[in-house]
Amino acid sequence: MSTFEDLGSLLMVRGADEIEHAGGSLYVHLHRVAKRLTTLGASDTLVLAGLAHAAYGTDGFPTHLFDWQTERPVLESVIGPEAELIVYRYGSCERETTWRDLAEHHTVTDRFTGTSEELSTADLRDFVDLTIVNELDVLDHAPALAPKLRPFLQEQIPRWQSLASPAVLAESQRLLPL
């Protein structure tokens, strides 16, 4: 089996297919995010992170499949340290203090520990690409959220245009015309 398949099996064991999420189950959402990242040319590492991005819950989706304090090594053993770190950063991100001015300060605040980390250009790109692709999937599959989410993304994504990959930026512009 491939790492991607191993991770899919682990997500099933952890109950991702039984947790409701936009457009079906969390499992289905995670696969859609990974598929869109693949389509947009993301690295294998980012695609794996996309498949596991809600493993520790997120600031917008508190349900978790793994305990961030004790089970990070479990996820890391399946997807590797680089992908696990992307998953951790994504899940631990305190959106209120991070998202708006990320292009200026390059810092992600950890909602679990209260610490902040300045990211490299490559790490910022992965973080922003995953964030945009996730939010686009939610927008596509949760019509009730669209009246609030669409204007937020139309305002936020232009702030991140210097951080996002060209393919993800083009996809967001295609789906969110201004």
Side-chain angles (χ1 to χ4, degrees):
M1 275 177 50
S2 71
T3 302
F4 193 87
E5 290 167 335
D6 290 345
L7 177 56
S9 296
L10 181 58
L11 294 171
M12 291 290 282
V13 167
R14 293 298 179 118
D17 61 324
E18 299 170 9
I19 298 169
E20 288 187 35
H21 199 281
S25 70
L26 177 59
Y27 184 80
V28 171
H29 164 71
L30 295 170
H31 274 274
R32 286 192 312 255
V33 169
K35 182 178 180 180
R36 185 173 272 174
L37 285 166
T38 299
T39 301
L40 296 172
S43 68
D44 291 345
T45 300
L46 186 55
V47 170
L48 281 172
L51 184 57
H53 74 270
Y56 306 121
T58 70
D59 198 358
F61 188 76
T63 302
H64 63 273
L65 303 172
F66 297 84
D67 182 283
W68 71 270
Q69 292 177 300
T70 61
E71 295 187 299
R72 288 185 68 186
V74 174
L75 188 58
E76 183 179 313
S77 72
V78 176
I79 65 174
E82 291 177 32
E84 189 280 332
L85 183 55
I86 295 168
V87 172
Y88 178 80
R89 280 186 186 129
Y90 183 81
S92 71
C93 173
E94 184 179 278
R95 294 174 178 184
E96 182 73 25
T97 58
T98 300
W99 280 12
R100 182 172 177 80
D101 298 319
L102 184 60
E104 287 79 38
H105 59 65
H106 300 188
T107 302
V108 174
T109 300
D110 186 318
R111 68 188 175 98
F112 299 138
T113 66
T115 59
S116 295
E117 176 186 18
E118 187 172 342
L119 302 184
S120 69
T121 301
D123 290 341
L124 277 167
R125 175 153 292 167
D126 286 345
F127 179 83
V128 168
D129 282 357
L130 177 54
T131 300
I132 291 171
V133 167
N134 175 71
E135 294 301 318
L136 291 175
D137 185 75
V138 171
L139 183 65
D140 286 348
H141 294 93
L145 298 178
K148 185 176 179 182
L149 184 57
R150 180 177 298 282
F152 170 77
L153 293 175
Q154 287 174 319
E155 180 182 327
Q156 186 61 51
I157 292 173
R159 289 190 182 109
W160 290 341
Q161 69 183 16
S162 65
L163 306 176
S165 68
V168 169
L169 193 58
E171 176 79 348
S172 68
Q173 291 168 342
R174 183 181 70 79
L175 296 171
L176 295 165
L178 297 177

